[in-house]
Amino acid sequence: EVQLVASGGGLVQPGGSLRLSCAASGFTFGSYWMRWVRQAPGKGLEWVANVDQDGREKLYVDSVRGRFTISRDNAKNSVHLQMNSLRAEDTAFYFCARDNGGTPDYWGQGTLVTVSS
Amino acid sequence: QSALTQEASVSGTVGQKVTLSCTGNNNNVGTYTVGWYQQISHGAPKTVMIGNSLASGIPDRFSASKSGTTASLIISGLQPEDEADYYCSTWDYRLNAWVFGGGTKLTVL
């Protein structure tokens, strides 16, 4: 059974940093792209970042490029999102998902990031 | 403002057939595979359809189609448990980004 478990969310002040993690199991992790998607309270889904199987190719939405870094550790079956220079508008539930053929097929539960002073 | 346009809300009765639409352009829907995602009470999204293929564990009353720059999610025989928010998504090569629709709130009357 494919499982994705996100963690690392919390309350952080504007300008601060946070590192999200997503632990994967139930599939050959190193064979799939992975992504992060977020959802601000009461709003729709927004793609954040993708990383390829080797961790070399990374794609970001414009609003986070230069502040967020997606990475993966295939030895530990995990994908991470390092978030720096956080802003109030980054407040959201963050979901990790597995990509299959360029589209998410399995999603983890969200981890809540709140940016507030 | 989302790159993909979805109805804000759709409703139907149990057993009815409903169609949710997702309209984009040739930079996105017209060129790439569209995914459909179900989200109940803002929990984790669940993939319903990838292109015309049912995702794992999804009942076959769900189907999808695409014509030009509009994709559709069809639910034949609506069930109470289908009440949820539904989002479409695909790649946009002009924006160089994955884009989502604003979501459709499906209510089962």
Side-chain angles (χ1 to χ4, degrees):
Chain A
E1 179 192 5
V2 172
Q3 286 199 322
L4 299 168
V5 180
S7 61
L11 174 63
V12 61
Q13 292 188 339
S17 298
L18 213 55
R19 185 178 190 245
L20 305 183
S21 296
C22 176
S25 61
F27 63 101
T28 305
F29 181 72
S31 296
Y32 292 88
W33 282 70
M34 298 293 295
R35 69 170 63 193
W36 288 94
V37 173
R38 67 184 178 184
Q39 184 174 39
K43 301 296 184 181
L45 300 173
E46 180 187 34
W47 167 70
V48 176
N50 274 30
V51 61
D52 76 347
Q53 293 91 332
D54 297 325
R56 296 176 190 172
E57 186 170 356
K58 303 174 184 182
L59 303 170
Y60 300 93
V61 68
D62 284 348
S63 60
V64 309
R65 190 175 294 115
R67 300 188 298 123
F68 290 11
T69 301
I70 189 171
S71 63
R72 65 189 296 158
D73 185 338
N74 286 347
K76 296 183 177 179
N77 290 353
S78 59
V79 60
H80 307 280
L81 188 68
Q82 177 67 42
M83 304 185 297
N84 298 331
S85 303
L86 282 162
R87 306 166 180 167
E89 54 264 36
D90 296 318
T91 294
F93 281 94
Y94 284 73
F95 301 97
C96 62
R98 185 184 86 167
D99 270 21
N100 193 354
T103 306
D105 60 353
Y106 286 95
W107 300 69
Q109 94 295 353
T111 186
L112 178 61
V113 172
T114 303
V115 184
S116 175
S117 55
Chain B
Q1 186 175 354
S2 304
L4 307 180
T5 300
Q6 299 183 249
E7 301 94 344
S9 63
V10 170
S11 62
T13 56
V14 173
Q16 189 177 3
K17 176 180 176 181
V18 295
T19 300
L20 281 59
S21 69
C22 173
T23 301
N25 56 43
N26 285 318
N27 299 330
N28 43 60
V29 173
T31 302
Y32 297 100
T33 297
V34 175
W36 288 92
Y37 313 99
Q38 177 192 68
Q39 188 181 38
I40 297 174
S41 299
H42 295 283
K46 177 190 291 188
T47 300
V48 176
M49 303 289 302
I50 299 177
N52 296 331
S53 299
L54 272 174
S56 176
I58 301 300
D60 62 5
R61 62 178 179 273
F62 288 87
S63 63
S65 66
K66 187 169 73 170
S67 177
T69 57
T70 298
S72 299
L73 177 69
I74 303 109
I75 309 174
S76 303
L78 197 60
Q79 297 299 308
E81 59 266 31
D82 299 334
E83 185 162 292
D85 294 325
Y86 291 84
Y87 294 89
C88 61
S89 180
T90 190
W91 176 254
D92 187 302
Y93 71 77
R94 180 65 60 89
L95 297 175
N96 201 37
W98 283 93
V99 292
F100 282 93
T104 296
K105 181 177 182 61
L106 175 62
T107 301
V108 181
L109 302 171

